[in-house]
Amino acid sequence: MEIKKVQDDGRSAITTIENIDTMSDTASTVPAGHTLQRNLKARHIQMIALGGTIGTGLFMASGKSISMGGPGGALVGYAIVGILVFCVMMSLGEMAAYIPVSGSFSHFATRFADPSLGFCVGWVYWANWAIGVAVELTGVAMIMEYWIDSVPTVVWSIICLVILLSINVFSVKGYGEIEYWFSLIKIITVIIFVIVGICVDTGAVGGNHIGVTNFHLEGGAFPFGFLGVFNVFLTAAFAFNGVEIVGITAGESMNPHKTVPAAVKQVFIRIVLFYILSILVIGLVIPYTDPNLLKGSSSVSVSPFTLVFEKAGASWAADVMNAIILITMISAGNSGVYSSSRTLLALSQDGYAPRFFMRVNRFGIPFWSVLATCSIGCLAFLTSLFSSGVVFNWLTTLTSVAGLITWVTISITHIRFRQGYISQGRLLSALPYVAPFYPFGDIFVIVIGTIVICGQGYKSFMAPIKAEDIVSSYIGLAFAVVLYVGHKVIVRPSFVKVADMDFDTGTIKQTVFDIREDEKFASDGLPIPWWKRVGKKALQIIA
């Protein structure tokens, strides 16, 4: 048990973290040895929640959204998915701040909804990020091919895989520190891109005033109507994929009751600043009829970010942008190895995976879970057999659907969590963070998410119908259905009743005064000057 005391004008407050490492009945069977270490600081988690998810989805596949939906359709599609993501983060934040455990999605679903749902979402989420690692490795090969085409792409994939493995087998604090700086580079890049894009659009740079001309081309801002907006949903989901990683980091956070709510509260501003503005700039500067937009996901040389910089007249900026995209892919892959390995650890603790995945080395790392995740990265080696763009697009579809399934499951679990919590006579004021808009936010996620999951492959049913297209569109959904039904039929677990829900094991309990008050004090118990608190808050908003 960890106990932290904070002095407040003679008052004493004690924060207790009880039984954190024992998250389920099966957790007691963890092999003797080392455990996860709570070494992730607040700045690590906040930067990981934001920058760790900025990757190929935004830098390379965003142009595809403009091409498929038009400038207005892409903007509306990203906005709707952004609201959906914010609702998911609020729901997850409420549960993760109260019960900070690695691999939270699977554990929460098992604990508050249905063990079969926990089994399903755990493996779907693991596959989502494990394959996501392969997506980033494929992207790295594509970028290196832009500079050096004499070396087989498989070589670059192997080198990147070794780098990711090296980062993730040592202290989690080292992972957090590396991810912090990688994420900072990505954030600065997006900010510069938005500024340069606005300058290009207004004619301040490049000498050609564009304005809103591209919003008034043939067909207007919504040339493909509703279907155009719908087509953007899946690409947008891929771009946002990973924001829920804050729920994973809670299990290794020093102060999850503070860092998780803080990260959740800033998600909306960050979605608008980095995603919505980026799509707006691309739509303003590049016509949706530009064929290069559709090629951006398969060729770095025509990435929408690269195209905007070229329009600014900076020919050297394209190479710099490609180098930054290379860093973003390594960063996104790094987050993928981390989150999927922790999810596999949680699956093992709940009895859904072999027990040896529970083993943790002396650095506090689930070594075997990391190795299993990296082995899936070998899918990236397919780039040596097929076109890099073909593999990239196929994996994008698969991981996007898996992410949506995870978000829907989180919302279902949160509804059950809140129902059980209230029915047992507990007060919402005792929670470190209370998700607003309940239950409307969860209902919105479930309805929109289900519609997109089921309807995203509608084009595969249009003539000429090809079986491989249908399989590619619905392989993620089929995988989830097989997992859920198979577990339900074989194990036959019952749904968790509200009276049987456990709200005590692994929870954080705060006494005397509200947890937000201890933000005014340093770790030694001394008050933090007001000017330092204001400066810190300003940096958090900027970051």
Side-chain angles (χ1 to χ4, degrees):
M1 178 186 297
E2 176 185 342
I3 300 178
K4 176 184 177 182
K5 287 189 176 183
V6 180
Q7 299 296 331
D8 182 18
D9 297 330
R11 294 180 301 166
S12 176
I14 301 177
T15 302
T16 62
I17 301 179
E18 298 185 349
N19 208 16
I20 288 295
D21 296 317
T22 307
M23 292 293 117
S24 64
D25 292 338
T26 58
S28 60
T29 62
V30 177
H34 306 283
T35 60
L36 296 179
Q37 299 175 3
R38 292 185 173 273
N39 288 330
L40 288 179
K41 299 180 180 179
R43 65 184 180 89
H44 293 150
I45 291 180
Q46 291 186 9
M47 194 65 76
I48 288 171
L50 169 65
T53 63
I54 298 177
T56 53
L58 180 62
F59 287 130
M60 296 183 67
S62 54
K64 184 179 179 181
S65 299
I66 306 291
S67 180
M68 293 189 305
L75 202 57
V76 172
Y78 265 78
I80 292 176
V81 176
I83 294 173
L84 184 148
V85 168
F86 186 51
C87 292
V88 171
M89 288 299 296
M90 290 189 295
S91 300
L92 177 60
E94 179 175 304
M95 297 184 291
Y98 186 63
I99 308 175
V101 49
S102 292
S104 55
F105 317 122
S106 173
H107 179 73
F108 290 158
T110 297
R111 188 164 169 175
F112 302 114
D114 178 16
S116 293
L117 186 62
F119 175 84
C120 170
V121 72
W123 281 110
V124 166
Y125 191 75
W126 176 78
N128 171 36
W129 267 116
I131 295 176
V133 172
V135 171
E136 304 306 334
L137 294 179
T138 303
V140 167
M142 291 165 56
I143 286 187
M144 297 307 299
E145 193 175 27
Y146 170 77
W147 282 313
I148 306 174
D149 57 6
S150 60
V151 178
T153 55
V154 66
V155 174
W156 302 119
S157 294
I158 293 176
I159 293 174
C160 183
L161 188 61
V162 172
I163 293 174
L164 295 181
L165 184 60
S166 301
I167 293 174
N168 282 274
V169 294
F170 297 105
S171 172
V172 69
K173 186 176 180 180
Y175 153 80
E177 200 64 37
I178 292 175
E179 193 58 34
Y180 176 86
W181 292 108
F182 276 179
S183 298
L184 184 60
I185 292 174
K186 291 188 287 185
I187 291 171
I188 293 175
T189 299
V190 174
I191 293 175
I192 294 176
F193 168 78
V194 171
I195 295 175
V196 171
I198 293 175
C199 291
V200 170
D201 182 66
T202 58
V205 175
N208 182 25
H209 179 269
I210 302 174
V212 294
T213 302
N214 293 328
F215 276 72
H216 296 284
L217 297 177
E218 184 178 356
F222 300 89
F224 307 108
F226 169 77
L227 285 180
V229 177
F230 187 82
N231 289 335
V232 173
F233 285 160
L234 199 63
T235 304
F238 175 67
F240 283 112
N241 193 24
V243 293
E244 72 287 335
I245 195 175
V246 67
I248 303 292
T249 59
E252 293 173 272
S253 168
M254 291 181 177
N255 299 295
H257 63 288
K258 292 196 305 181
T259 56
V260 172
V264 170
K265 291 175 183 177
Q266 297 176 17
V267 164
F268 184 76
I269 296 177
R270 291 165 173 176
I271 286 174
V272 173
L273 180 61
F274 298 114
Y275 290 91
I276 303 301
L277 284 183
S278 294
I279 293 297
L280 176 61
V281 166
I282 296 172
L284 287 171
V285 176
I286 306 175
Y288 77 90
T289 55
D290 190 330
N292 287 327
L293 286 177
L294 201 57
K295 300 176 183 177
S297 61
S298 59
S299 176
V300 179
S301 61
V302 289
S303 161
F305 276 62
T306 303
L307 293 176
V308 170
F309 280 115
E310 287 180 345
K311 284 182 176 291
S315 58
W316 53 266
D319 284 324
V320 174
M321 189 64 213
N322 288 336
I324 293 174
I325 293 177
L326 177 63
I327 293 176
T328 68
M329 290 180 174
I330 296 175
S331 172
N334 192 31
S335 294
V337 174
Y338 171 82
S339 58
S340 56
S341 62
R342 269 53 177 185
T343 300
L344 188 56
L345 170 68
L347 286 169
S348 181
Q349 290 176 338
D350 285 334
Y352 298 152
R355 293 182 69 253
F356 69 86
F357 286 125
M358 287 188 283
R359 296 188 180 278
V360 176
N361 64 17
R362 62 190 180 91
F363 302 111
I365 303 297
F367 181 74
W368 292 109
S369 295
V370 171
L371 285 183
T373 296
C374 289
S375 66
I376 300 301
C378 292
L379 284 174
F381 297 163
L382 289 174
T383 58
S384 64
L385 303 177
F386 306 101
S387 167
S388 294
V390 172
V391 178
F392 180 80
N393 289 330
W394 181 78
L395 293 176
T396 296
T397 302
L398 183 60
T399 55
S400 298
V401 174
L404 285 166
I405 292 173
T406 300
W407 295 345
V408 170
T409 302
I410 289 173
S411 295
I412 293 174
T413 303
H414 181 247
I415 290 177
R416 294 293 296 158
F417 172 88
R418 184 70 75 87
Q419 288 176 341
Y421 190 85
I422 297 298
S423 68
Q424 292 187 15
R426 299 171 183 269
L427 300 177
L428 292 179
S429 58
L431 294 173
Y433 173 75
V434 179
F437 312 120
Y438 172 86
F440 303 107
D442 293 318
I443 294 174
F444 175 77
V445 173
I446 294 171
V447 172
I448 299 298
T450 302
I451 292 175
V452 176
I453 290 170
C454 296
Q456 47 86 23
Y458 74 93
K459 289 184 178 179
S460 61
F461 294 100
M462 296 181 177
I465 299 177
K466 297 181 180 180
E468 57 267 27
D469 292 339
I470 297 177
V471 172
S472 175
S473 298
Y474 291 98
I475 187 173
L477 177 60
F479 179 58
V481 171
V482 169
L483 287 174
Y484 181 83
V485 174
H487 187 270
K488 182 65 72 174
V489 171
I490 297 174
V491 182
R492 302 196 177 192
S494 58
F495 294 98
V496 181
K497 299 179 181 178
V498 293
D500 297 332
M501 293 181 184
D502 178 13
F503 289 97
D504 295 317
T505 304
T507 59
I508 291 180
K509 295 184 178 180
Q510 186 81 15
T511 62
V512 181
F513 63 89
D514 190 86
I515 58 173
R516 289 179 291 276
E517 290 189 28
D518 63 5
E519 294 179 358
K520 301 177 182 179
F521 301 90
S523 58
D524 57 3
L526 297 177
I528 298 176
W530 67 268
W531 57 272
K532 283 190 176 182
R533 297 200 304 270
V534 172
K536 180 180 179 181
K537 190 66 177 177
L539 289 175
Q540 288 177 345
I541 294 176
I542 295 174

